[in-house]
Amino acid sequence: MPAITVDDVLVLPRLPRLDPATTAYRPVRRLTTAPTGYEGEGFPVRRAFAGVPMPELDPFIHLDQMGEVDYAPGEPKGTPWHPHRGFETVTYMIDGTMDHQDSLGGGGTITNGDTQWMTAGGGILHIEAPPEQLVMSGGLFHGLQLWVNLPRVAKMIAPKYQDIRGRESALVTTPDGGSLIRVIAGTVEGHAGPGSTHTPINLAHVTLQPGARLDLPWQPDYNALVYVLAGRGTVGAEQRPIRIGQLATHGAGDALRVEAAPVQDSNIPAMELFIMGGRPIREPVAHYGPFVMNTREELMQAFEDFQKGRLGVIPAERLPHTD
């Protein structure tokens, strides 16, 4: 799980040591296990938010862990062309490479540790696919796609993109150097990530060494979600057991606590976490398929606009494997 790393975490800025007497650690509200399935043309995913009530996720809508899978030559798969409206997609590539192309003529490639942030806004068509070289050679593929809701006033803004390279993420560690925290968006104790957001949110990928503990300051007015990408340990001051493919939602407080088990599985060198939180939008959500709106009528309009070509047209020059 390469993402972005450093040879010596001890050279990084360190989070402050929290005082247990004055810090309110957030209790675990709910612990769920992601079911597995397939997305797009058939690549495996874990549905991280399955079974979690929408108010506990707000402002987030959907999270897929894509892979981890080691493809043989000819096996890598992507998605066909599809529309989006009313939210943002955040694709974080941990291992492997993904190409993106859209109906406005934009596109790009993200690889280990990069993030492709697409604000769909009023609507766009796009496709995500492995590059031809990866299809030919096979190889590791592992990433995340998170859907972030847009408030009503921003639902129909013009689409835009942020291509965030892994090296742009803010890198910090804990007081004992037991973790590497990559801040992708938002701020963690004053350390700001490069992602620009319409709704205030935090996104961080954390590598927690065996036996290490993470005490993470967290904004009291944000919700807090901890998803385990790899390994096992405990979450919360109550030390609830948690493992790969599980999500913990939290109650009120101003800090999170996660501890990695002293002994991990032989093929997992460290516990890997994706930590999310944001200020809830608290608006009605009408979500179906690739559209996230506020009302059923707006959903119906989105489908009609897509069917009539108002969200864009597939470019004549398409990615080779989609012909």
Side-chain angles (χ1 to χ4, degrees):
M1 191 172 293
I4 293 299
T5 188
V6 294
D7 294 330
D8 183 5
V9 297
L10 298 180
V11 304
L12 298 176
R14 303 192 191 196
L15 297 178
R17 193 178 299 275
L18 303 184
D19 183 354
T22 59
T23 299
Y25 288 99
R26 292 185 175 222
V28 175
R29 174 183 289 169
R30 188 183 308 270
L31 192 63
T32 56
T33 301
T36 57
Y38 292 91
E39 186 55 85
E41 297 169 336
F43 57 86
V45 297
R46 283 188 170 99
R47 308 286 193 192
F49 289 169
V52 182
M54 193 66 70
E56 292 180 28
L57 300 175
D58 187 12
F60 307 113
I61 299 293
H62 176 85
L63 177 65
D64 274 348
Q65 181 181 5
M66 307 178 293
E68 182 175 4
V69 59
D70 191 357
Y71 283 121
E75 287 185 344
K77 300 174 178 67
T79 69
W81 283 93
H82 58 283
H84 286 307
R85 172 181 279 181
F87 65 103
E88 302 179 286
T89 64
V90 181
T91 305
Y92 176 52
M93 187 56 54
I94 299 169
D95 207 332
T97 306
M98 177 75 82
D99 283 342
H100 163 81
Q101 188 179 8
D102 65 57
S103 54
L104 296 178
T109 299
I110 55 173
T111 187
N112 303 340
D114 295 341
T115 301
Q116 199 276 327
W117 199 303
M118 182 182 80
T119 302
I124 197 168
L125 306 182
H126 80 149
I127 185 173
E128 297 153 304
E132 186 175 1
Q133 181 181 356
L134 182 63
V135 175
M136 296 291 290
S137 65
L140 283 172
F141 177 78
H142 189 198
L144 292 165
Q145 186 168 97
L146 174 70
W147 292 11
V148 184
N149 198 11
L150 286 171
R152 186 190 301 271
V153 296
K155 288 286 187 191
M156 299 297 287
I157 61 175
K160 71 172 187 177
Y161 300 89
Q162 302 172 66
D163 285 320
I164 302 170
R165 300 304 162 193
R167 62 182 177 274
E168 298 173 10
S169 298
L171 303 180
V172 297
T173 188
T174 43
D176 63 357
S179 69
L180 172 59
I181 303 165
R182 309 163 185 86
V183 184
I184 300 168
T187 61
V188 174
E189 196 62 19
H191 301 280
S196 175
T197 68
H198 287 274
T199 299
I201 64 172
N202 293 339
L203 301 179
H205 174 195
V206 178
T207 299
L208 194 57
Q209 295 301 318
R213 186 173 76 192
L214 172 69
D215 286 341
L216 192 65
W218 207 251
Q219 293 90 328
D221 59 336
Y222 283 23
N223 66 0
L225 311 169
V226 175
Y227 179 72
V228 181
L229 294 164
R232 55 192 172 86
T234 63
V235 62
E238 62 269 46
Q239 296 187 310
R240 294 275 298 274
I242 191 169
R243 56 179 170 79
I244 183 172
Q246 291 190 317
L247 176 81
T249 65
H250 291 74
D254 54 23
L256 305 175
R257 173 169 285 181
V258 185
E259 297 186 50
V263 179
Q264 300 288 332
D265 293 343
S266 59
N267 62 333
I268 297 176
M271 190 181 189
E272 302 281 349
L273 310 169
F274 193 64
I275 302 181
M276 303 150 278
R279 187 176 299 147
I281 297 173
R282 294 191 175 94
E283 292 178 352
V285 175
H287 170 211
Y288 190 86
F291 305 125
V292 181
M293 306 304 292
N294 293 112
T295 68
R296 183 174 181 273
E297 291 71 23
E298 290 168 345
L299 274 182
M300 294 173 64
Q301 185 64 55
F303 276 102
E304 179 181 332
D305 289 347
F306 168 56
Q307 291 164 356
K308 293 185 176 180
R310 296 172 186 151
L311 301 190
V313 178
I314 297 173
E317 299 260 338
R318 294 186 290 164
L319 296 174
H321 93 290
T322 65
D323 289 339

